PDB file of all heavy atoms in Angstrom:
ATOM      1  N   ASP C   3       2.292   5.179   0.385  1.00 86.00           N
ATOM      2  CA  ASP C   3       2.320   6.163   1.477  1.00 86.00           C
ATOM      3  C   ASP C   3       1.145   7.134   1.385  1.00 86.00           C
ATOM      4  O   ASP C   3       0.611   7.569   2.401  1.00 86.00           O
ATOM      5  CB  ASP C   3       3.633   6.947   1.433  1.00 86.00           C
ATOM      6  CG  ASP C   3       4.829   6.087   1.799  1.00 86.00           C
ATOM      7  OD1 ASP C   3       4.631   5.043   2.450  1.00 86.00           O
ATOM      8  OD2 ASP C   3       5.962   6.454   1.424  1.00 86.00           O
ATOM      9  N   TRP C   4       0.743   7.457   0.171  1.00 84.00           N
ATOM     10  CA  TRP C   4      -0.352   8.409   0.004  1.00 84.00           C
ATOM     11  C   TRP C   4      -1.661   7.834   0.532  1.00 84.00           C
ATOM     12  O   TRP C   4      -2.498   8.579   1.033  1.00 84.00           O
ATOM     13  CB  TRP C   4      -0.489   8.831  -1.456  1.00 84.00           C
ATOM     14  CG  TRP C   4      -0.851   7.705  -2.393  1.00 84.00           C
ATOM     15  CD1 TRP C   4      -0.004   6.840  -3.003  1.00 84.00           C
ATOM     16  CD2 TRP C   4      -2.165   7.330  -2.793  1.00 84.00           C
ATOM     17  NE1 TRP C   4      -0.696   5.948  -3.761  1.00 84.00           N
ATOM     18  CE2 TRP C   4      -2.040   6.234  -3.657  1.00 84.00           C
ATOM     19  CE3 TRP C   4      -3.437   7.821  -2.521  1.00 84.00           C
ATOM     20  CZ2 TRP C   4      -3.125   5.613  -4.240  1.00 84.00           C
ATOM     21  CZ3 TRP C   4      -4.531   7.201  -3.108  1.00 84.00           C
ATOM     22  CH2 TRP C   4      -4.363   6.115  -3.956  1.00 84.00           C
ATOM     23  N   LEU C   5      -1.824   6.498   0.452  1.00 85.00           N
ATOM     24  CA  LEU C   5      -3.027   5.884   1.014  1.00 85.00           C
ATOM     25  C   LEU C   5      -3.016   5.966   2.535  1.00 85.00           C
ATOM     26  O   LEU C   5      -4.043   6.222   3.163  1.00 85.00           O
ATOM     27  CB  LEU C   5      -3.137   4.418   0.579  1.00 85.00           C
ATOM     28  CG  LEU C   5      -3.863   4.148  -0.726  1.00 85.00           C
ATOM     29  CD1 LEU C   5      -3.826   2.676  -1.073  1.00 85.00           C
ATOM     30  CD2 LEU C   5      -5.280   4.646  -0.688  1.00 85.00           C
ATOM     31  N   VAL C   6      -1.848   5.757   3.128  1.00 87.00           N
ATOM     32  CA  VAL C   6      -1.724   5.847   4.584  1.00 87.00           C
ATOM     33  C   VAL C   6      -2.011   7.279   5.032  1.00 87.00           C
ATOM     34  O   VAL C   6      -2.735   7.503   6.009  1.00 87.00           O
ATOM     35  CB  VAL C   6      -0.319   5.391   5.043  1.00 87.00           C
ATOM     36  CG1 VAL C   6      -0.125   5.638   6.523  1.00 87.00           C
ATOM     37  CG2 VAL C   6      -0.098   3.925   4.698  1.00 87.00           C
ATOM     38  N   GLN C   7      -1.474   8.261   4.303  1.00 89.00           N
ATOM     39  CA  GLN C   7      -1.716   9.665   4.657  1.00 89.00           C
ATOM     40  C   GLN C   7      -3.195  10.016   4.508  1.00 89.00           C
ATOM     41  O   GLN C   7      -3.765  10.721   5.351  1.00 89.00           O
ATOM     42  CB  GLN C   7      -0.869  10.579   3.780  1.00 89.00           C
ATOM     43  CG  GLN C   7       0.599  10.517   4.077  1.00 89.00           C
ATOM     44  CD  GLN C   7       1.410  11.355   3.096  1.00 89.00           C
ATOM     45  OE1 GLN C   7       0.883  11.918   2.147  1.00 89.00           O
ATOM     46  NE2 GLN C   7       2.710  11.425   3.334  1.00 89.00           N
ATOM     47  N   ALA C   8      -3.830   9.525   3.448  1.00 88.00           N
ATOM     48  CA  ALA C   8      -5.256   9.807   3.235  1.00 88.00           C
ATOM     49  C   ALA C   8      -6.102   9.149   4.323  1.00 88.00           C
ATOM     50  O   ALA C   8      -7.111   9.705   4.761  1.00 88.00           O
ATOM     51  CB  ALA C   8      -5.681   9.316   1.854  1.00 88.00           C
ATOM     52  N   GLU C   9      -5.675   7.973   4.764  1.00 88.00           N
ATOM     53  CA  GLU C   9      -6.402   7.257   5.812  1.00 88.00           C
ATOM     54  C   GLU C   9      -6.329   8.007   7.143  1.00 88.00           C
ATOM     55  O   GLU C   9      -7.265   7.969   7.939  1.00 88.00           O
ATOM     56  CB  GLU C   9      -5.811   5.858   5.959  1.00 88.00           C
ATOM     57  CG  GLU C   9      -6.671   4.883   6.690  1.00 88.00           C
ATOM     58  CD  GLU C   9      -6.116   3.474   6.584  1.00 88.00           C
ATOM     59  OE1 GLU C   9      -4.875   3.312   6.563  1.00 88.00           O
ATOM     60  OE2 GLU C   9      -6.918   2.545   6.527  1.00 88.00           O
ATOM     61  N   GLN C  10      -5.244   8.715   7.382  1.00 90.00           N
ATOM     62  CA  GLN C  10      -5.059   9.457   8.622  1.00 90.00           C
ATOM     63  C   GLN C  10      -5.636  10.872   8.541  1.00 90.00           C
ATOM     64  O   GLN C  10      -5.596  11.611   9.515  1.00 90.00           O
ATOM     65  CB  GLN C  10      -3.572   9.517   8.970  1.00 90.00           C
ATOM     66  CG  GLN C  10      -2.985   8.160   9.281  1.00 90.00           C
ATOM     67  CD  GLN C  10      -1.476   8.192   9.392  1.00 90.00           C
ATOM     68  OE1 GLN C  10      -0.831   9.189   9.114  1.00 90.00           O
ATOM     69  NE2 GLN C  10      -0.903   7.056   9.779  1.00 90.00           N
ATOM     70  N   SER C  11      -6.186  11.226   7.402  1.00 89.00           N
ATOM     71  CA  SER C  11      -6.754  12.552   7.205  1.00 89.00           C
ATOM     72  C   SER C  11      -8.012  12.740   8.055  1.00 89.00           C
ATOM     73  O   SER C  11      -8.734  11.783   8.332  1.00 89.00           O
ATOM     74  CB  SER C  11      -7.111  12.721   5.721  1.00 89.00           C
ATOM     75  OG  SER C  11      -7.903  13.853   5.535  1.00 89.00           O
ATOM     76  N   PRO C  12      -8.296  13.957   8.469  1.00 91.00           N
ATOM     77  CA  PRO C  12      -9.517  14.208   9.252  1.00 91.00           C
ATOM     78  C   PRO C  12     -10.784  14.210   8.389  1.00 91.00           C
ATOM     79  O   PRO C  12     -11.886  14.253   8.917  1.00 91.00           O
ATOM     80  CB  PRO C  12      -9.272  15.594   9.850  1.00 91.00           C
ATOM     81  CG  PRO C  12      -8.321  16.252   8.924  1.00 91.00           C
ATOM     82  CD  PRO C  12      -7.461  15.151   8.361  1.00 91.00           C
ATOM     83  N   TYR C  13     -10.640  14.121   7.084  1.00 89.00           N
ATOM     84  CA  TYR C  13     -11.798  14.179   6.182  1.00 89.00           C
ATOM     85  C   TYR C  13     -12.369  12.785   5.957  1.00 89.00           C
ATOM     86  O   TYR C  13     -11.707  11.898   5.433  1.00 89.00           O
ATOM     87  CB  TYR C  13     -11.407  14.806   4.846  1.00 89.00           C
ATOM     88  CG  TYR C  13     -10.820  16.183   4.996  1.00 89.00           C
ATOM     89  CD1 TYR C  13      -9.456  16.399   4.833  1.00 89.00           C
ATOM     90  CD2 TYR C  13     -11.637  17.259   5.338  1.00 89.00           C
ATOM     91  CE1 TYR C  13      -8.919  17.665   4.995  1.00 89.00           C
ATOM     92  CE2 TYR C  13     -11.104  18.527   5.501  1.00 89.00           C
ATOM     93  CZ  TYR C  13      -9.742  18.724   5.328  1.00 89.00           C
ATOM     94  OH  TYR C  13      -9.214  19.966   5.488  1.00 89.00           O
ATOM     95  N   LYS C  14     -13.644  12.596   6.339  1.00 86.00           N
ATOM     96  CA  LYS C  14     -14.251  11.278   6.252  1.00 86.00           C
ATOM     97  C   LYS C  14     -14.452  10.839   4.799  1.00 86.00           C
ATOM     98  O   LYS C  14     -14.499   9.655   4.509  1.00 86.00           O
ATOM     99  CB  LYS C  14     -15.569  11.228   7.013  1.00 86.00           C
ATOM    100  CG  LYS C  14     -16.635  12.155   6.509  1.00 86.00           C
ATOM    101  CD  LYS C  14     -17.891  12.066   7.354  1.00 86.00           C
ATOM    102  CE  LYS C  14     -18.904  13.090   6.861  1.00 86.00           C
ATOM    103  NZ  LYS C  14     -20.100  13.068   7.663  1.00 86.00           N
ATOM    104  N   GLU C  15     -14.543  11.800   3.863  1.00 87.00           N
ATOM    105  CA  GLU C  15     -14.687  11.452   2.446  1.00 87.00           C
ATOM    106  C   GLU C  15     -13.447  10.706   1.959  1.00 87.00           C
ATOM    107  O   GLU C  15     -13.542   9.781   1.148  1.00 87.00           O
ATOM    108  CB  GLU C  15     -14.914  12.705   1.594  1.00 87.00           C
ATOM    109  CG  GLU C  15     -16.242  13.386   1.839  1.00 87.00           C
ATOM    110  CD  GLU C  15     -16.212  14.342   3.025  1.00 87.00           C
ATOM    111  OE1 GLU C  15     -15.150  14.502   3.659  1.00 87.00           O
ATOM    112  OE2 GLU C  15     -17.270  14.929   3.316  1.00 87.00           O
TER     113      GLU C  15
END
Side-chain angles (χ1 to χ4, degrees):
D3 291 339
W4 63 274
L5 271 177
V6 173
Q7 290 175 356
E9 197 170 35
Q10 295 170 353
S11 168
Y13 303 106
K14 62 182 176 182
E15 292 84 1

